[in-house]
Amino acid sequence: MCGIFGYKGLKNNAGHIVIEGLRRLDYRGYDSWGIGFVSKNSLIIKKEVGKIGDISNSQYLPNSHTAIAHTRWATTGAVTRINAHPHISTDKTFLLAQNGIVENYQELKAGLEKKAYSFISETDTEVIVRLIEDALKTQKNYIKAIRFIYSKLIGRNTIILLRKNGEIYAARNGSPLVIGINTKTKEIFLSSDTLSFSPYVNKMIVVENNQIVRICNKNKIKIFNMKNGKISQYKLEDMTIKVSQVNKAGYRHYMIKEINETPQAIKQIINQDKNKIIELSSALKSADHVYIIGSGTAGFASAQIAFYLRLFGNINVISLVGADARSYYDIFNHNDLIIAPSQSGETADVIEVLEFAKKKGVKIASIVNMPGSMMTRMSDYPFMSSAGPEICVMSTKIFTSQIAWGYLVAKTVQGRYKKGVKNLEKLTIAIRTYLINKNNHKIIKNIAKTLIRKSHIFLLGKYQNLSIINEGMVKIIEATYKHAHALPAGDLKHYAITLMEKGILVIIVISDDIVKNDLITAINEIRLRGAEIIAIAHKNQSIFDYYIPTKDTKETDAISNIIPLQLLAYYMAIKLGNNIDKPRNIAKSVTVK
Ligand code: G6P
C-alpha cells in the first residue's frame, strides 16, 4: 500500500512539487520512493530506497511542468531501487505507478512472458505497464487500453500514468484518488489524499471507483466511466483544510503534538451537529443489528464504541475487526446498521465489508478524519472527526476523538445528549490539565525507563478499560517493537498466570467502577507470583509497585485513561531511539487487503 502524487501546471519545477507532495504522503509507506517527469521530450525517472525525507530540497532536477510520484510500502517484490515505482514501458513512452495489489499478477505475467515481454523488476506494477503496452497494440487510445486491462486485473488497484507527451492518466479501483485544482494558476494535482495538495489548491474532485482521469496538455480534466467509456460529470468541491496545520508547532514529534491536541479533538466532537447525532441514534434504535467495524486502532475504537452503546444505549452491538468479518456476511440484512470509525476512511479491509453490506441494503454510518474519503461517500450517516491532520503513523488523538464520539452517540440513544456533552466538556478540561502537569510526564518517563528493559509487557483491564488496554498494547508494540499482551483481568487466571514470575511487569488500568475489586484480586494473584504492577489509577495503593495517577472523570474515565498509555509508549520509544512518527513496517493508511 502506497501513496501516489501527480502534478501538471505552468511552474517548471514539477519534480520538486511532487517530492513535496510525497513528503506529505509518506505516512502511506516509506520503504522507497520514486518520481518520473517529462523533460526535453523524454521521460526521466529518479528513485531511491528509503524515506523521501532523506532527499535534500536543493537536489538538482531538470525543469519540467509535469511529474508523477510514488511512495512505496512494499507488497510484491523486495524493497529495492529497481522495484520502486514508477516503472517505464519498453519503448519508454510512458511511466506508471500503482497503489494496490494485482492479486493475479503471476498468471498475467506468465501470459505476457509467452508473448516475449520481459521484466526488470519483481513487481505486479510492471505487469500493469506491460499489459498496457500490449493493449495499446489493439486499442486505439490510452483510455481504451486502460479500460481493457482493468477487465483483467483482480484486486484493488489505483494507477497514475505519465506519457512522454506530457499527458497524465489515472484510474481508480479501490485505493483512493483525488484531484486538486488551483483555479487561479490552473495547476492540477492528483493524489492519494487531499492533505498532500491542500496548500496549493482551492478546489478538489473526488474520483470515484471505476473512473479514469485524463489530464491533457491544455490542463483540461476529463473523467471517463471505466465500464462503458463514456464521459462522467464531476463535482468541484471546495478545499477547506489548510497546510499551516501540518507542522510540528515546536514539538519534537508529531506524536506528542497530536496527543496534546486531544482536548481540541474532543471539542470538535462536542461541536458536531446535534440533529445528525439524534438522527443516527434513532436509526440505531430501530436497526435489527448494529455492527461496528474498524481495523487496528480503529478496531479497538469500534469495541469501545460498542461498549458505550451497550452500556448507555442498551443496544446489542457487535464490534468486528475489518479483516475478519466474513462470517457475518450471510447474516447482514437490510435493516442492519454498520458504524465504521476510521482516520483515513480508506482502509481496504473495512471498505470491502461495507461494500458487501451496502449491496444487501445495510445502512452505513462513519466517523472519518480525512476529507473526501471513500467511507464518507458510502455513508448514509457520515460524520467527520474534524480533528485536524494526524501525521504520526501511530494514531492518538483520532482514537480518542472516535471513542468520545461513540460515547456521545450512546448518551444520545440513552436520551441524555446534554449530559453527554457536559461530561465531554469536563473530560476536555481534565485531559488538558493532565497533559500540562509536568509531574505526570516525569512519572511516566521514569516508568518508561524501567519498562524498556523488558521484552514482554502485559496489560490488564476490564469492562470500560478493556479496549483501552488493547489500544495501549497497540501503542506499545508500534512504538517499541516489543511484545505486549493485553488481556481481560479476569481471564488472567485461566492461562497467562503461568507467565507471572519475578521480573515480569504488568500494567493495570483501574477505574472506580463495579469491577474495581476484580482488578485488586488480579493484582494480588500477580504479586504473589513475584511479578510487579504498574497501576494507572486514581489513588495510589500499597499493592502497586509503580503508580501513574489519572484524574477520575467518572463515566468518561476510560477515555482519559488512554492518555497515560499513549504517553508511556511515546517516552519508551524516545528512550529506545525509535522512529516515533514512522515506526518500522507499518503505514498509517492501509488501502490494500
Ligand atoms: C493502519 C494504521 C492504524 C489504523 C488502521 C486503520 O493499520 O497503522 O493506526 O488504526 O490502519 O486505519 P483507519 O484509517 O481506518 O483508521
Side-chain angles (χ1 to χ4, degrees):
M1 186 254 352
C2 314
I4 52 182
F5 198 84
Y7 171 81
K8 190 160 185 57
L10 299 174
K11 296 199 183 104
N12 63 10
N13 58 341
H16 284 293
I17 291 173
V18 294
I19 283 177
E20 198 43 45
L22 281 192
R23 284 194 213 282
R24 293 167 208 261
L25 279 179
D26 75 349
Y27 69 86
R28 303 179 65 84
Y30 29 87
D31 295 334
S32 51
W33 60 272
I35 62 171
F37 49 92
V38 190
S39 187
K40 293 190 186 141
N41 207 26
S42 56
L43 288 168
I44 298 174
I45 296 181
K46 172 158 184 51
K47 43 191 188 178
E48 300 289 346
V49 166
K51 294 183 186 65
I52 184 74
D54 301 343
I55 181 181
S56 99
N57 282 334
S58 57
Q59 163 126 15
Y60 171 73
L61 292 172
N63 288 348
S64 173
H65 299 289
T66 313
I68 63 168
H70 184 266
T71 184
R72 182 167 188 242
W73 186 71
T75 50
T76 312
V79 180
T80 61
R81 203 188 147 272
I82 286 176
N83 286 337
H85 305 201
H87 295 277
I88 193 159
S89 63
T90 315
D91 63 1
K92 308 215 175 336
T93 54
F94 71 90
L95 301 169
L96 183 141
Q98 182 205 189
N99 174 17
I101 298 177
V102 183
E103 289 169 17
N104 56 337
Y105 85 100
Q106 274 167 321
E107 187 191 318
L108 294 170
K109 190 170 181 176
L112 287 161
E113 276 165 344
K114 271 192 201 139
K115 289 185 175 178
Y117 285 99
S118 59
F119 294 82
I120 301 158
S121 77
E122 305 156 321
T123 63
D124 53 346
T125 304
E126 206 185 3
V127 172
I128 304 180
V129 173
R130 300 286 174 264
L131 281 175
I132 294 177
E133 285 179 50
D134 195 48
L136 283 168
K137 290 183 180 156
T138 52
Q139 306 296 316
K140 279 199 195 123
N141 57 40
Y142 275 75
I143 294 291
K144 287 196 170 146
I146 292 169
R147 288 182 55 212
F148 182 76
I149 67 118
Y150 263 90
S151 65
K152 298 181 184 303
L153 302 181
I154 299 178
R156 308 173 84 87
N157 328 91
T158 290
I159 57 166
I160 185 163
L161 181 154
L162 172 63
R163 281 182 72 182
K164 197 168 103 174
N165 74 357
E167 283 184 346
I168 295 181
Y169 292 79
R172 173 176 184 163
N173 172 30
S175 310
L177 181 66
V178 277
I179 303 172
I181 303 159
N182 185 321
T183 50
K184 275 197 193 131
T185 61
K186 309 271 181 263
E187 291 166 287
I188 299 173
F189 299 79
L190 277 146
S191 178
S192 302
D193 80 16
T194 46
L195 203 60
S196 53
F197 53 53
S198 66
Y200 315 114
V201 309
N202 56 333
K203 296 283 175 190
M204 65 172 190
I205 302 167
V206 180
V207 180
E208 304 286 351
N209 267 338
N210 296 313
Q211 287 190 327
I212 305 174
V213 180
R214 177 181 171 217
I215 303 169
C216 71
N217 280 328
K218 289 185 179 145
N219 283 21
K220 287 245 153 51
I221 301 168
K222 274 194 182 157
I223 299 188
F224 299 83
N225 180 315
M226 200 186 285
K227 301 287 174 205
N228 58 23
K230 288 193 180 147
I231 290 190
S232 303
Q233 298 306 317
Y234 54 79
K235 205 172 100 204
L236 276 187
E237 296 176 34
D238 288 334
M239 182 70 217
T240 45
I241 305 189
K242 282 299 155 203
V243 78
S244 51
Q245 293 167 279
V246 193
N247 61 52
K248 289 193 198 136
Y251 287 97
R252 202 167 148 200
H253 301 99
Y254 279 110
M255 183 177 184
I256 190 71
K257 174 187 178 236
E258 288 158 6
I259 293 173
N260 275 288
E261 286 169 348
T262 305
Q264 196 48 38
I266 299 175
K267 269 218 159 122
Q268 294 297 329
I269 298 303
I270 297 169
N271 293 340
Q272 297 272 326
D273 182 341
K274 181 182 170 187
N275 292 331
K276 276 181 69 188
I277 295 186
I278 291 173
E279 201 192 332
L280 173 61
S281 80
S282 315
L284 285 165
K285 281 192 252 183
S286 54
D288 278 359
H289 305 100
V290 176
Y291 302 93
I292 316 203
I293 301 184
S295 294
T297 287
F300 291 118
S302 298
Q304 188 68 9
I305 297 169
F307 172 85
Y308 286 139
L309 282 169
R310 289 192 294 266
L311 188 73
F312 302 119
N314 214 11
I315 301 178
N316 183 8
V317 182
I318 292 167
S319 73
L320 300 171
V321 168
D324 199 33
R326 190 70 190 79
S327 59
Y328 284 87
Y329 278 22
D330 290 341
I331 302 172
F332 290 151
N333 81 58
H334 65 281
N335 287 324
D336 293 349
L337 197 153
I338 296 182
I339 299 178
S342 173
Q343 191 287 128
S344 63
E346 300 288 351
T347 301
D349 287 334
V350 176
I351 286 182
E352 188 175 83
V353 184
L354 299 185
E355 278 171 350
F356 181 87
K358 210 173 162 63
K359 279 190 198 137
K360 290 188 86 177
V362 177
K363 293 275 177 295
I364 293 167
S366 60
I367 169 96
V368 172
N369 195 47
M370 189 67 80
S373 79
M374 179 89 165
M375 281 186 212
T376 301
R377 303 179 91 74
M378 292 173 83
S379 295
D380 304 279
Y381 305 95
F383 289 81
M384 295 301 296
S385 311
S386 306
E390 189 181 65
I391 304 297
C392 176
V393 169
M394 288 185 266
S395 181
T396 53
K397 65 173 176 177
I398 300 299
F399 172 80
T400 319
S401 92
Q402 286 167 347
I403 60 176
W405 175 85
Y407 168 78
L408 187 58
V409 172
K411 290 300 283 181
T412 311
V413 176
Q414 194 190 25
R416 309 208 64 195
Y417 169 82
K418 266 195 189 153
K419 181 82 183 146
V421 167
K422 238 193 193 133
N423 286 344
L424 286 182
E425 277 164 353
K426 284 190 201 153
L427 173 73
T428 309
I429 297 167
I431 294 180
R432 183 168 293 129
T433 315
Y434 189 84
L435 285 166
I436 56 175
N437 183 332
K438 287 203 175 118
N439 198 39
N440 290 332
H441 292 263
K442 198 171 146 205
I443 292 169
I444 296 173
K445 273 183 201 164
N446 276 334
I447 293 177
K449 225 188 278 171
T450 308
L451 263 180
I452 55 163
R453 293 200 292 267
K454 305 289 171 189
S455 311
H456 308 283
I457 297 156
F458 291 88
L459 297 102
L460 289 192
K462 195 170 170 168
Y463 194 59
Q464 62 175 312
N465 290 311
L466 183 59
S467 302
I468 301 304
I469 55 146
N470 276 314
E471 173 54 12
M473 168 190 76
V474 172
K475 290 292 87 82
I476 290 174
I477 291 174
E478 291 176 323
T480 68
Y481 318 147
K482 282 177 181 287
H483 171 233
H485 181 166
L487 73 159
D491 224 28
L492 176 84
K493 58 185 173 293
H494 293 293
Y495 63 105
I497 197 145
T498 56
L499 304 172
M500 296 300 126
E501 60 185 5
K502 200 164 185 294
I504 294 288
L505 267 180
V506 180
I507 301 169
I508 193 152
V509 178
I510 311 172
S511 292
D512 285 331
D513 57 22
I514 51 167
V515 300
K516 186 174 174 183
N517 287 341
D518 299 350
L519 275 291
I520 304 295
T521 305
I523 291 175
N524 289 330
E525 288 166 359
I526 291 163
R527 294 185 85 232
L528 262 174
R529 285 153 182 96
E532 288 185 310
I533 295 290
I534 299 169
I536 297 179
H538 306 137
K539 274 195 205 114
N540 199 355
Q541 294 192 36
S542 58
I543 51 170
F544 302 159
D545 300 283
Y546 303 86
Y547 171 60
I548 300 175
T550 54
K551 180 131 182 20
D552 186 358
T553 61
K554 312 279 184 224
E555 247 179 46
T556 59
D557 209 33
I559 309 178
S560 52
N561 285 339
I562 192 60
I563 305 293
L565 286 168
Q566 291 170 344
L567 291 175
L568 193 57
Y570 174 70
Y571 288 123
M572 284 173 79
I574 290 210
K575 300 222 177 296
L576 290 165
N578 288 353
N579 188 339
I580 291 174
D581 289 329
K582 295 189 180 80
R584 70 182 185 200
N585 300 341
I586 57 170
K588 189 159 191 67
S589 174
V590 184
T591 52
V592 294
K593 272 189 20 177

